[in-house]
Amino acid sequence: MYTSAIEKTLAVAFAKYPVPVAPVLSPPNKNGGGDFQCNSVLQLAGRMRMKPGDLAREIADAMDLAGIAEVTVTGPGYLNFILADGYVETLARASAAAQSMVDPVATPETVVIDFGGPNIAKALHVGHLRSFVIGESLRRILKAVGHEVVSDIHYGDWGLPIGKLILGIETSVISTVEAGGVPNVDWSLDQLGEFYRLGNELTKSDPVFYEKAKDNTLRLQAGDRDLRALWSRVRAISLAGIEGHIKLLGAHFDTLDGESDVDPLIPAMIAALQEAGLATESDGALVGQVVEDDSLPPVLLRKSDGSSLYGTTDLATIVDRIAKYEPDRVVYCVDGRQGVHLKTCFMLAEKAAAIGVSGFTPLPHLVHADFGTVNDASGKPYSTREGKPALLEDLIDEALEKARDVVTDDIDGETARKVAIAALKFADLSTDRRSGYVFDPERMMSFTGRTGPYLQYACARVSSLLRKAADDGRGGPGDIAISHPADRDLAVEVLGFPAAVHRAAIELQPKAVCDAAYDIATALSRLYAEVEILRAPDGEREGRLALLTWAGATISTALDLLGIEVPERM
Ligand code: ARG
């Protein structure tokens, strides 16, 4: 609703042209000068085969925004809007009073988000951090703009790693029995990790063990009762352990399905693909070719021994999700290094849908929201001294330790935890998700600069000011009033927030929300430096307190969309 008058007038102006281009408002270029900008004229001009500058002037002249904003044309054909001073105040008051900060999109979709993706019996490592953190933020952002969202963790619980884990268990437990010990069935997650490591080592050292691990996987998938019982036990222990991480990271999953859950759908799916000519034999295995040449590998659907693979369960999961939710979109928040795997799965599903293969229609839009790696100072993926991917737990511990160093002594452990997680998450979310970033506890925990703790502090400071205002007997917030340029600057930043959320939802980039929150917080800091608040004269004081309340609430909404909690005091 924030700049609805401008948006509506723009839409009317654009609608006069015979090509469908929807105008969007964005923050101004740093040197553009205005309060908001619309760059969509360039697109319209391209379609209309007109000079963008001429078209922009034509549109600017046609827009009647008297009393609302002044329009100028800058650059190659940007429309710049400078809100009329009285209108900033009117808009700010209306926005602050509105039921919800962000307007819903015109056509809400059902979106499944596939994120987290931990493998049972393997400790979560640094790569999983990003999937959990970005996935949760996207879940919140998509919901905030009105989409129906189903989040699914998609446990890795059905492939060769399980065969290796079972091998590890068999080997260790048998040796314990031989040594006169009693097999312990109440394993911890760490012990399971040990079993997996052992199984994995064995398969690397000896082809006989590798065959055994493969055979375990096959027998499990074929329904061997003992193996299924062991697997269920392991899965339950593992899930209980992972739950702790999920809680700590504050992720929410509507469904906790795994690869194994779609196993019953595989035979019919493979038969349908075969019948449609999309799955063919190759050296005894079954593959789904997605291109004519060898520019992309085929999707491996069934090994020659009959077992299914990662791609098989991913395809069957598409079929399952269509049947369960009929989604418009499935967003996979998965490491960029799995790009080829997902791309080939998507292509095969699209081929199947195009010729109406049963189960694959109506095919949702399949999107890979990929992300880069967490790196060390030298730019290499963050790892342990032994060169293995760092464990998520160690990363969180490092952040917690740092947080205890930086927060003051009288802050409780709960607040320190919120600060640590905020630092970790904001560092992860505030860059373009597709690029990697450097894990630097010192910098991410700093209370100044573009960090999670800085934004938490901005909220806590507003709360503290409001508490003081309530105590000094001069009255609290009234109606928002703009009495100084610093008030106006802050209001304009806050007014831009809903557009940032929409951009984040469209581009699947939480960064847009981070940027908006940071811009509001810096405008707040400038306000503190330039004007009085509690000691402002009557009239000005209530209006400014109301403005601060609104700005603080907006930053805290932004943090909530990032999955970051706000401590009351810091
Ligand atoms: N379990 C996989 C891993 O740990 C990630 C799963 C990603 N999601 C998917 N639908 N393939 O690497």
Side-chain angles (χ1 to χ4, degrees):
M1 71 136 319
Y2 73 120
T3 35
S4 52
I6 297 180
E7 282 176 323
K8 276 191 202 127
T9 315
L10 260 176
V12 170
F14 271 55
K16 289 198 190 116
Y17 299 90
V19 292
V21 172
V24 288
L25 279 186
S26 42
N29 282 350
K30 286 297 165 216
N31 43 16
D35 293 326
F36 298 101
Q37 188 166 311
C38 171
N39 302 344
S40 314
V41 176
L42 269 55
Q43 212 185 329
L44 183 63
R47 306 276 302 267
M48 292 292 299
R49 297 175 185 283
M50 283 177 74
K51 283 201 184 125
D54 294 347
L55 182 59
R57 261 177 296 277
E58 193 172 291
I59 292 177
D61 290 343
M63 289 180 78
D64 179 15
L65 288 170
I68 294 175
E70 194 189 311
V71 199
T72 56
V73 176
T74 58
Y78 304 141
L79 294 171
N80 266 270
F81 299 92
I82 300 174
L83 296 175
D85 280 340
Y87 193 62
V88 174
E89 197 172 85
T90 312
L91 256 183
R93 287 182 182 178
S95 298
Q99 278 277 325
S100 107
M101 253 177 224
V102 184
D103 272 351
V105 291
T107 40
E109 297 174 23
T110 300
V111 186
V112 173
I113 311 185
D114 178 315
F115 75 101
N119 296 322
I120 64 169
K122 277 207 250 180
L124 271 70
H125 60 75
V126 51
H128 291 108
L129 172 75
R130 301 211 71 189
S131 186
F132 275 102
V133 170
I134 301 171
E136 176 62 18
S137 178
L138 291 178
R139 186 185 76 79
R140 291 171 183 233
I141 290 168
L142 291 173
K143 268 175 85 92
V145 301
H147 296 303
E148 173 112 29
V149 182
V150 181
S151 55
D152 182 25
I153 196 163
H154 197 71
Y155 276 116
D157 62 358
W158 209 229
L160 186 59
I162 311 299
K164 293 180 180 174
L165 167 72
I166 294 173
L167 174 68
I169 294 176
E170 287 169 342
T171 321
S172 327
V173 173
I174 288 166
S175 60
T176 328
V177 175
E178 278 170 354
V182 181
N184 180 1
V185 286
D186 240 347
W187 299 306
S188 67
L189 197 54
D190 281 348
Q191 276 168 301
L192 290 184
E194 282 304 322
F195 292 145
Y196 173 78
R197 252 190 301 285
L198 175 66
N200 193 32
E201 290 300 316
L202 290 173
T203 54
K204 279 190 196 148
S205 66
D206 188 337
V208 175
F209 282 123
Y210 184 68
E211 286 308 314
K212 253 189 99 72
K214 268 179 32 182
D215 186 54
N216 282 341
T217 312
L218 178 63
R219 277 169 41 232
L220 171 70
Q221 291 181 357
D224 180 293
R225 285 196 36 210
D226 292 344
L227 284 187
R228 287 257 170 138
L230 179 60
W231 170 84
S232 301
R233 179 87 204 99
V234 166
R235 192 177 190 273
I237 295 171
S238 174
L239 264 45
I242 290 171
E243 220 164 75
H245 280 100
I246 297 177
K247 265 219 186 88
L248 186 61
L249 287 175
H252 170 82
F253 293 99
D254 297 309
T255 59
L256 294 165
D257 290 342
E259 295 165 351
S260 65
D261 289 297
V262 297
D263 187 68
L265 304 179
I266 291 176
M269 176 188 81
I270 291 202
L273 288 173
Q274 260 177 319
E275 197 178 318
L278 292 175
T280 48
E281 299 273 346
S282 159
D283 292 334
L286 198 64
V287 304
Q289 214 76 41
V290 293
V291 284
E292 301 292 322
D293 53 20
D294 53 9
S295 57
L296 282 173
V299 182
L300 306 178
L301 292 167
R302 198 171 60 206
K303 282 194 193 168
S304 51
D305 66 10
S307 57
S308 41
L309 300 103
Y310 191 35
T312 328
T313 47
D314 260 324
L315 278 168
T317 303
I318 294 175
V319 171
D320 187 40
R321 287 174 178 156
I322 294 174
K324 281 187 180 143
Y325 316 111
E326 241 188 70
D328 299 287
R329 233 191 318 170
V330 183
V331 173
Y332 294 75
C333 187
V334 176
D335 194 312
R337 289 170 292 187
Q338 295 199 24
V340 172
H341 162 74
L342 288 175
K343 183 175 181 171
T344 52
C345 287
F346 296 173
M347 286 171 80
L348 192 58
E350 277 151 17
K351 282 182 137 193
I355 53 173
V357 175
S358 142
F360 285 93
T361 53
L363 189 72
H365 200 58
L366 303 167
V367 189
H368 183 189
D370 58 321
F371 50 78
T373 52
V374 181
N375 301 326
D376 61 22
S378 73
K380 296 213 185 69
Y382 204 77
S383 53
T384 61
R385 276 198 201 104
E386 297 80 46
K388 300 215 178 84
L391 293 185
L392 180 54
E393 195 155 324
D394 297 340
L395 228 63
I396 295 177
D397 283 349
E398 228 177 296
L400 275 171
E401 201 174 306
K402 194 85 224 150
R404 282 191 211 101
D405 286 353
V406 297
V407 297
T408 46
D409 292 342
D410 54 342
I411 289 293
D412 54 297
E414 184 56 15
T415 302
R417 182 191 63 80
K418 284 182 186 166
V419 170
I421 299 293
L424 207 61
K425 287 190 169 185
F426 195 84
D428 203 289
L429 296 168
S430 55
T431 52
D432 184 316
R433 67 173 151 73
R434 291 164 301 184
S435 53
Y437 70 94
V438 175
F439 181 77
D440 178 354
E442 193 86 36
R443 208 194 58 78
M444 66 172 69
M445 207 68 68
S446 158
F447 281 76
T448 56
R450 245 173 144 264
T451 68
Y454 169 65
L455 294 175
Q456 287 177 313
Y457 179 69
C459 292
R461 186 163 177 191
V462 169
S463 303
S464 141
L465 263 167
L466 290 172
R467 274 196 301 272
K468 282 188 194 138
D471 288 348
D472 71 5
R474 279 190 58 203
D479 278 335
I480 291 177
I482 308 292
S483 8
H484 187 274
D487 293 328
R488 187 188 188 284
D489 287 349
L490 176 59
V492 168
E493 290 299 350
V494 183
L495 286 172
F497 177 69
V501 181
H502 280 281
R503 229 176 17 259
I506 290 168
E507 295 168 1
L508 300 174
Q509 287 277 15
K511 175 184 187 295
V513 173
C514 296
D515 290 345
Y518 180 69
D519 288 344
I520 297 171
T522 46
L524 253 176
S525 300
R526 283 199 303 273
L527 184 88
Y528 294 138
E530 287 177 28
V531 295
E532 292 290 354
I533 295 169
L534 294 175
R535 276 180 296 169
D538 284 343
E540 207 173 301
R541 171 181 144 122
E542 303 86 69
R544 191 160 292 138
L545 285 172
L547 175 63
L548 285 182
T549 309
W550 178 49
T554 306
I555 298 177
S556 106
T557 299
L559 290 176
D560 184 58
L561 292 179
L562 301 171
I564 294 175
E565 293 173 87
V566 181
E568 185 60 20
R569 292 163 203 264
M570 274 174 86

